[in-house]
Amino acid sequence: MAVEKSNTMVDGVEILKPRTDNREYRKIVLKNSLQVLLISDPDTDKCAASMSVSIGSFSDPQGLEGLAHFLEHMLFYASAKYPEEDSYSKYITEHGGSTNAYTSSEETNYHFDINADCFSEALDRFAQFFIKPLMSAEATMREIKAVDSENQKNLLSDGWRMRQLQKHLSNEDHPFHKFSTGNMDTLHVKPQAKGVDTTSELIKFYEEHYSANIMHLVVYGKESLDKIQDLVEGMFQEVQNTNKTIPRFPGQPCTSDHLQILVKAVPIKQGHKINVSWPVTPSIHRYEEAPCRYLGHLIGHEGEGSLFHALKTLGWATGLSAGEGDWTLDYSFFTVSIELTDAGHEHMQDILGLLFKYIQLLQQTGVCQWIFDELAAICETKFHYQDKTPPMSYIVDIASNLQIFPTRDWLVGLSLPSKFNPATIQKVVDELSPSNARIFWESQKFEGQTDKNEPWYNTAYSLEKITSSTIQEWVKSAPDVNLHLPAPNVFIPTDLSLKDAKNKETVPVLLRNSPFSRLWYKPDTIFSKPKAYFKMDFNCPLAVSSPDAAVLTDIFTRLLMDYLNEYAYYAQVAGLHYGVSLSDNGFELTLLGYNHKLRILLETVIEKIANFEVKPDRFAVIKETVTKEYQNYKFRQPYHQAMYYCSLILQDQTWPWTEELEVLSHLEAEDVAKFVPMLLSRTFIECYIAGNVEDNEAESMVKHVEDVLFNDPKPKCRPLFPSQHLTNRVVKLEEGMKYFYHQDGSNPSDENSALVHYIQVHRDDFAMNIKLQLFGLVAKQATFHQLRTVEQLGYITALAQRNDSGIYGVQFIIQSSVKGPGHIDSRVELLLKNFESKLHEMSDEEFKSNVTALIDMKLEKYKNLKEESRFYWQEIQRGTLKFNRKEAEVAALRQLQKQELIDFFEEYIKIGAARKKSLSIRVYGSQHLKEMASDKDEVPSPSVEIEDIVGFRKAQPLHGSFRGCGQPKL
């Protein structure tokens, strides 16, 4: 089909862009051959840049695995022009921005964003990465520890382990085989033993590979294209061009020895999974014909007749995805991943038989033009009506596109299938043959049945060859199920017109209020997209009344999603997303996407709720899935465990996961069947509808929901009594008191420990909020620099704001394999002690600069309907209803004096502050466990040691809830 064009001409070259996109684009090439895409967006509050260097881990020298990734870390340190260590990150963080980078097999990408008025200096600092970075031996050694900590974090992650196993079982002469992260061994111990100096090798790698002619830069600014061009030309001309050729790595990662294999691997977590991958012709060479996109759409479909629907009906699978995974210009893999139930694990051969039977169906039916056209239409609508996203995330992908695609498709990339060529698709179908397959089967049931270990992550596995004839036998013996192609998608929107909102409300209005529900409404007055955002929170007192009720409510929401899937999957594909999930006081329904057919989907979901029945076979599958999720809690990262304990201590009406797991073990289908009518019997629905919807439509939708649930002759729901309206309460810590909770890490194999040092400050108040936020802004980079860069406590080091139902605080989050939680806690205390003098020494100019940065961050405009709606929905859910929050806090900031910030710090944050309330959650990894007893003995007075979380919570006073402050009136 023909794609409707919306092009921008760039020096005689057209760039295809969305027709709703009013940004300006320009391609330039600097004298040093650096290719640049300039983007001008006068409406933006943030500016950003992304540099893609066409060098990645495939170029790591032998014996220095991870060097490309390590160099990515090192470029953040310092430069000849800006020699102060970490000053790049400090400048950007203090001016409302963020920085990041990643290393892939053939690319390293560096990127940042920042408040618009500080862009010029930030861009100059960024340019120095590629002009004259500084890499001292001392800094090198420290950052090797950070890379090692990052690797330590990944060692018990099944995703990392299985990916490395797939790489391990490939041609040793191909760089795909390599370990790419790096660790202490590869970057220090082994090189040192061979007399190799890592710092020298790092500089050599940089000089050999980082050349302007193989770099691609995208710059996103607020100024005109001419002004952005002047900036770029002035700053990036000095990037050296040594006329390098982009490295290519021809040949295939897999020889015949690595195909037709069945690998059984032991994962860390509970659950069973099959990954089948085939080497295929890279789609990139025929990206407009999109062969893998077409096949992924069909093999990964979840509607009736699909492979997943068949496996789900048989009770064998809980999830399936399909598509092109790892790819370069020279090789590619098409992968099908299937999450199995226990029963599915016992039917692996049948499942693979059905997979290949479905592929045979695609062979027999041939390539269908109507399916390609439908897919192309969905992709075209998505491209032309795409939401605006934060500038940094927008340009990172584009920077990678610059090297791969012709100029015309820099913004499009792989997103627009437009040329129907059945031969191209058929070629890839033919490559999905039994003789090409690599089957990876994960399960803890293989424990003790393996004879090999992958060297980098120590994953236990076994390997056997498997013939095409064996797979054909599986196909023949597979169950006789009705596999067929999907039906035409009725959810594709055909009316993309914009409604003329009579109300030009800039904040939500209370449109309707009844005993059953309350409707908040906000028309789209900003984004001009044919989309809507719909939220319904079902407040059900029974839902959170006990661990049993919490688990039963969870299973109810999952069964609802399960029943909807085969029908609503079509809506998802067409860009209308839905979800039913737990909320603080019950469960919530979310619909988001094109508004044209949203009502149809809403009515279906409400009908499923009204006529809910428990299907015992589906209950059994959901129960098994939830049980495994709970059992896998113990494998979470230690810092996640610490954050969980913090929430459990602070938030009333929450239950320990161990109790919920205990409930699950005794649960039967009848329990859910009895519970759901009681759950729904008393409820109040909080609604928010925003976007391309008229007020009468919004009212009509809510009225329909009320009619079905409340106004039926035999109503499923009745209104709440006034006394039943729920509130979210948070534990009130005592002023001047320190609280401690010490706990073993739940995974004995995990060496990492973690600390969450939380300081509770105040109940939502504009004047207090801004002081806490300003402290957070000023202290954030200082925390990262001291605890991660200088002391190298761990890769995960953060200072973050915390808001529990309107109760504000701040938390330090650190995970470490080198030091225990007690030591880390003492370093946080010392950091706060030293910060006091930093605050006193801050100049008036520096103070004003920080205030301006925070104001700019607060005044940042919403990019899209989802972003805007999330802010307003949060105000509604918490009961704060401060829709003017940003403006009010900005007004307070403009009045703030430096002394007020110092007073705030001395009263609530500093060591020994009279009103300070701190809570230290210490989670001990295996190598620090022996320190716990002495750490407990050394806690200072006055303090409280929390032994029993629920008992402690019950004995504490609670902050008042904003949801209990009276109900708003129309």
Side-chain angles (χ1 to χ4, degrees):
M1 65 173 286
V3 175
E4 185 177 332
K5 293 182 179 178
S6 175
N7 297 358
T8 183
M9 295 299 292
V10 175
D11 300 331
V13 180
E14 59 180 17
I15 296 180
L16 183 63
K17 70 171 189 173
R19 48 180 170 261
T20 53
D21 185 355
N22 57 9
R23 292 169 287 210
E24 292 185 311
Y25 298 83
R26 177 183 294 169
K27 170 189 175 179
I28 61 170
V29 182
L30 304 188
K31 289 173 187 170
N32 56 3
S33 298
L34 175 64
Q35 287 195 60
V36 188
L37 177 65
L38 311 174
I39 306 174
S40 170
D41 178 4
D43 296 328
T44 193
D45 303 298
K46 281 267 200 300
C47 296
S50 173
M51 178 74 92
S52 170
V53 185
S54 298
I55 288 294
S57 58
F58 277 8
S59 297
D60 284 345
Q62 193 65 38
L64 276 164
E65 292 87 354
L67 193 68
H69 175 227
F70 180 41
L71 176 60
E72 171 226 299
H73 277 239
M74 284 303 298
L75 291 194
F76 281 77
Y77 261 76
S79 64
K81 186 170 181 181
Y82 299 99
E84 188 189 341
E85 199 174 80
D86 258 2
S87 62
Y88 163 76
S89 300
K90 179 176 185 287
Y91 183 82
I92 286 173
T93 303
E94 288 180 353
H95 294 91
S98 58
T99 71
N100 214 332
Y102 67 79
T103 305
S104 64
S105 55
E106 296 187 328
E107 180 209 6
T108 308
N109 190 302
Y110 303 86
H111 40 275
F112 77 91
D113 66 2
I114 195 162
N115 292 342
D117 55 352
C118 307
F119 186 48
S120 177
E121 183 174 335
L123 192 64
D124 189 44
R125 289 173 177 274
F126 182 65
Q128 304 310 309
F129 278 39
F130 314 103
I131 295 169
K132 197 165 183 189
L134 298 180
M135 294 181 243
S136 70
E138 188 252 347
T140 300
M141 194 56 230
R142 272 190 278 132
E143 199 58 25
I144 286 174
K145 291 176 183 174
V147 172
D148 190 62
S149 175
E150 183 178 355
N151 184 61
Q152 286 275 346
K153 163 186 77 70
N154 300 337
L155 289 178
L156 297 176
S157 160
D158 284 327
W160 283 93
R161 292 164 69 86
M162 294 307 157
R163 173 162 161 67
Q164 190 61 44
L165 180 57
Q166 289 167 10
K167 285 156 69 82
H168 178 64
L169 296 174
S170 68
N171 182 359
E172 288 186 25
D173 296 328
H174 194 285
F176 178 78
H177 183 82
K178 290 180 179 181
F179 168 63
S180 59
T181 309
N183 59 25
M184 182 62 75
D185 229 24
T186 67
L187 295 171
H188 177 63
V189 178
K190 286 181 179 172
Q192 188 180 51
K194 293 176 187 169
V196 173
D197 178 57
T198 305
T199 307
S200 303
E201 290 297 319
L202 199 63
I203 294 165
K204 182 176 157 189
F205 186 87
Y206 178 84
E207 289 173 348
E208 275 184 17
H209 294 295
Y210 274 52
S211 173
N213 72 305
I214 63 167
M215 297 180 183
H216 298 83
L217 175 67
V218 182
V219 178
Y220 191 113
K222 190 179 180 73
E223 306 284 358
S224 68
L225 287 172
D226 288 342
K227 286 191 176 174
I228 300 170
Q229 182 168 339
D230 287 345
L231 264 185
V232 170
E233 287 176 343
M235 293 174 184
F236 288 87
Q237 294 281 22
E238 290 180 55
V239 178
Q240 195 173 5
N241 177 15
T242 53
N243 282 313
K244 297 297 179 193
T245 305
I246 294 175
R248 288 284 294 266
F249 302 91
Q252 291 299 306
C254 297
T255 67
S256 57
D257 290 343
H258 309 110
L259 303 176
Q260 292 186 293
I261 57 171
L262 172 60
V263 180
K264 296 175 182 174
V266 182
I268 298 294
K269 291 185 174 182
Q270 294 280 347
H272 322 282
K273 190 175 183 178
I274 291 179
N275 269 297
V276 186
S277 65
W278 299 262
V280 296
T281 306
S283 278
I284 187 64
H285 300 298
R286 301 275 187 151
Y287 64 92
E288 291 172 313
E289 296 163 17
C292 289
R293 183 74 170 264
Y294 175 93
L295 293 171
H297 170 64
L298 292 178
I299 298 172
H301 210 279
E302 298 183 17
E304 195 180 337
S306 68
L307 172 62
F308 177 68
H309 184 256
L311 296 176
K312 181 184 154 184
T313 305
L314 289 161
W316 293 348
T318 57
L320 186 150
S321 63
E324 195 171 19
D326 258 321
W327 64 268
T328 68
L329 294 173
D330 297 293
Y331 74 83
S332 179
F333 291 100
F334 187 94
T335 302
V336 177
S337 296
I338 309 172
E339 303 278 349
L340 307 178
T341 61
D342 290 346
H345 178 72
E346 301 302 324
H347 286 88
M348 181 276 287
Q349 295 179 5
D350 289 329
I351 289 169
L352 289 175
L354 286 171
L355 168 60
F356 282 98
K357 192 179 270 193
Y358 193 86
I359 293 167
Q360 283 180 5
L361 168 73
L362 298 181
Q363 291 270 16
Q364 291 154 9
T365 53
V367 181
C368 298
Q369 177 145 12
W370 76 264
I371 292 177
F372 183 88
D373 288 348
E374 183 182 88
L375 183 62
I378 289 168
C379 291
E380 185 186 354
T381 304
K382 182 178 180 181
F383 177 73
H384 283 297
Y385 293 95
Q386 62 184 268
D387 287 336
K388 210 170 184 182
T389 54
M392 187 166 78
S393 58
Y394 180 62
I395 64 173
V396 167
D397 287 341
I398 294 174
S400 301
N401 288 351
L402 265 58
Q403 183 221 318
I404 302 167
F405 296 92
T407 305
R408 177 187 181 277
D409 290 331
W410 277 358
L411 307 184
V412 172
L414 296 167
S415 64
L416 276 186
S418 55
K419 292 181 181 173
F420 180 62
N421 187 339
T424 303
I425 297 171
Q426 192 60 51
K427 183 183 180 192
V428 179
V429 176
D430 294 341
E431 289 171 332
L432 305 184
S433 70
S435 61
N436 264 348
R438 288 158 54 85
I439 303 164
F440 289 79
W441 186 10
E442 303 168 35
S443 174
Q444 287 193 344
K445 292 199 170 183
F446 298 137
E447 188 93 57
Q449 300 173 28
T450 60
D451 57 355
K452 297 177 177 62
N453 288 80
E454 186 278 319
W456 297 105
Y457 292 81
N458 202 33
T459 305
Y461 74 96
S462 66
L463 171 69
E464 59 191 89
K465 292 291 277 184
I466 199 148
T467 63
S468 296
S469 56
T470 302
I471 292 177
Q472 292 303 345
E473 287 300 318
W474 296 349
V475 172
K476 285 178 195 166
S477 62
D480 184 17
V481 295
N482 183 20
L483 296 173
H484 58 78
L485 296 176
N489 194 333
V490 298
F491 279 102
I492 296 176
T494 52
D495 179 2
L496 296 165
S497 61
L498 297 178
K499 313 273 171 87
D500 182 24
K502 299 176 194 71
N503 301 320
K504 303 293 182 188
E505 305 291 349
T506 55
V507 296
V509 292
L510 187 57
L511 195 60
R512 189 173 187 277
N513 204 354
S514 78
F516 314 121
S517 73
R518 184 165 53 209
L519 167 61
W520 298 91
Y521 168 71
K522 163 96 177 47
D524 176 14
T525 55
I526 304 170
F527 310 109
S528 301
K529 297 279 165 69
K531 296 181 179 182
Y533 185 97
F534 180 102
K535 274 276 191 188
M536 275 194 165
D537 190 3
F538 289 75
N539 287 268
C540 309
L542 188 58
V544 290
S545 59
S546 68
D548 304 70
V551 171
L552 286 160
T553 306
D554 186 19
I555 289 198
F556 163 63
T557 63
R558 289 172 188 251
L559 283 168
L560 266 179
M561 287 291 285
D562 187 76
Y563 299 166
L564 285 163
N565 190 61
E566 67 197 59
Y567 171 77
Y569 180 77
Y570 283 94
Q572 201 106 307
V573 168
L576 179 53
H577 304 282
Y578 71 102
V580 183
S581 59
L582 291 178
S583 64
D584 287 346
N585 298 315
F587 65 97
E588 68 180 24
L589 166 65
T590 309
L591 301 175
L592 169 65
Y594 303 113
N595 57 275
H596 181 204
K597 301 188 177 177
L598 185 143
R599 169 108 188 214
I600 299 168
L601 184 57
L602 170 66
E603 290 179 4
T604 304
V605 175
I606 298 303
E607 185 269 329
K608 289 280 186 198
I609 292 172
N611 300 308
F612 182 81
E613 290 179 3
V614 180
K615 299 174 185 172
D617 59 330
R618 298 314 301 158
F619 165 80
V621 169
I622 298 295
K623 177 182 173 181
E624 181 190 309
T625 302
V626 178
T627 301
K628 284 176 188 164
E629 284 179 18
Y630 278 119
Q631 289 168 342
N632 286 331
Y633 268 32
K634 60 178 173 283
F635 300 115
R636 289 179 299 179
Q637 293 274 3
Y639 79 97
H640 282 146
Q641 295 174 38
M643 290 168 76
Y644 162 77
Y645 291 130
C646 191
S647 297
L648 195 62
I649 287 168
L650 293 173
Q651 293 167 3
D652 194 35
Q653 293 288 349
T654 52
W655 313 104
W657 70 266
T658 46
E659 293 181 7
E660 294 181 346
L661 178 59
E662 172 71 17
V663 167
L664 258 176
S665 61
H666 305 294
L667 220 54
E668 299 298 338
E670 312 79 271
D671 298 320
V672 184
K674 288 176 192 166
F675 174 78
V676 172
M678 291 192 293
L679 174 76
L680 296 173
S681 67
R682 293 283 175 189
T683 190
F684 180 80
I685 309 175
E686 189 87 68
C687 311
Y688 175 75
I689 301 179
N692 194 37
V693 180
E694 292 173 345
D695 53 3
N696 59 332
E697 286 181 275
E699 286 199 70
S700 169
M701 283 193 265
V702 174
K703 180 74 169 64
H704 171 79
V705 173
E706 286 189 2
D707 287 345
V708 172
L709 296 177
F710 291 92
N711 297 328
D712 192 74
K714 291 184 177 177
K716 301 287 185 296
C717 306
R718 284 170 293 164
L720 293 184
F721 292 115
S723 61
Q724 286 183 295
H725 281 272
L726 290 161
T727 56
N728 300 330
R729 307 287 300 277
V730 176
V731 164
K732 191 174 190 177
L733 300 179
E734 187 182 331
E735 291 183 354
M737 187 61 72
K738 293 182 177 183
Y739 298 83
F740 293 89
Y741 180 69
H742 297 81
Q743 184 58 260
D744 302 10
S746 52
N747 178 7
S749 303
D750 198 335
E751 295 183 351
N752 291 285
S753 294
L755 168 80
V756 167
H757 182 106
Y758 165 72
I759 303 169
Q760 189 178 81
V761 183
H762 68 283
R763 198 164 174 263
D764 188 20
D765 171 86
F766 293 149
M768 289 290 285
N769 296 351
I770 58 162
K771 293 172 194 171
L772 182 67
Q773 289 158 7
L774 193 57
F775 162 73
L777 179 67
V778 175
K780 186 177 181 180
Q781 184 57 26
T783 301
F784 185 87
H785 175 71
Q786 182 60 36
L787 301 184
R788 183 179 182 273
T789 307
V790 177
E791 299 188 32
Q792 284 298 333
L793 291 179
Y795 177 73
I796 294 166
T797 301
L799 170 63
Q801 308 283 315
R802 186 176 174 115
N803 181 346
D804 296 274
S805 304
I807 308 304
Y808 283 67
V810 67
Q811 56 189 355
F812 295 84
I813 303 162
I814 298 112
Q815 180 166 298
S816 179
S817 59
V818 293
K819 295 291 181 182
H823 174 86
I824 300 168
D825 212 355
S826 70
R827 303 313 294 173
V828 170
E829 297 260 285
L830 185 62
L831 177 85
L832 286 171
K833 187 177 179 182
N834 294 337
F835 188 76
E836 188 177 354
S837 58
K838 176 181 166 63
L839 215 48
H840 282 278
E841 290 161 12
M842 184 189 292
S843 67
D844 290 343
E845 188 182 339
E846 204 180 339
F847 173 76
K848 284 174 187 167
S849 171
N850 283 307
V851 168
T852 302
L854 188 55
I855 287 172
D856 288 347
M857 290 162 74
K858 287 190 171 297
L859 293 179
E860 190 176 335
K861 294 185 280 289
Y862 301 112
K863 311 288 180 301
N864 53 58
L865 179 65
K866 185 177 180 181
E867 220 177 75
E868 178 192 71
S869 298
R870 278 180 166 171
F871 170 78
Y872 290 131
W873 179 244
Q874 208 168 50
E875 292 291 332
I876 293 164
Q877 267 205 318
R878 287 178 178 154
T880 43
L881 301 178
K882 293 175 180 174
F883 300 137
N884 68 332
R885 177 179 299 278
K886 294 187 175 190
E887 295 77 9
E889 289 183 350
V890 164
L893 267 169
R894 295 194 198 282
Q895 303 299 315
L896 188 68
Q897 301 298 310
K898 186 175 83 168
Q899 189 58 46
E900 292 178 84
L901 178 63
I902 293 170
D903 293 346
F904 167 82
F905 177 81
E906 293 188 339
E907 192 172 356
Y908 294 97
I909 307 288
K910 84 170 206 177
I911 307 301
R915 303 187 69 181
K916 183 171 180 178
K917 301 172 277 187
S918 71
L919 166 63
S920 290
I921 312 288
R922 299 172 172 184
V923 173
Y924 290 77
S926 56
Q927 64 177 353
H928 304 123
L929 209 46
K930 59 184 181 296
E931 299 169 17
M932 193 196 294
S934 59
D935 283 353
K936 281 186 175 183
D937 291 341
E938 291 168 15
V939 296
S941 298
S943 65
V944 172
E945 176 69 38
I946 301 170
E947 301 285 356
D948 167 20
I949 289 180
V950 177
F952 167 79
R953 204 170 62 195
K954 285 179 177 173
Q956 293 301 115
L958 301 173
H959 279 284
S961 168
F962 286 96
R963 291 180 74 145
C965 299
Q967 302 300 318
K969 293 183 179 178
L970 279 163

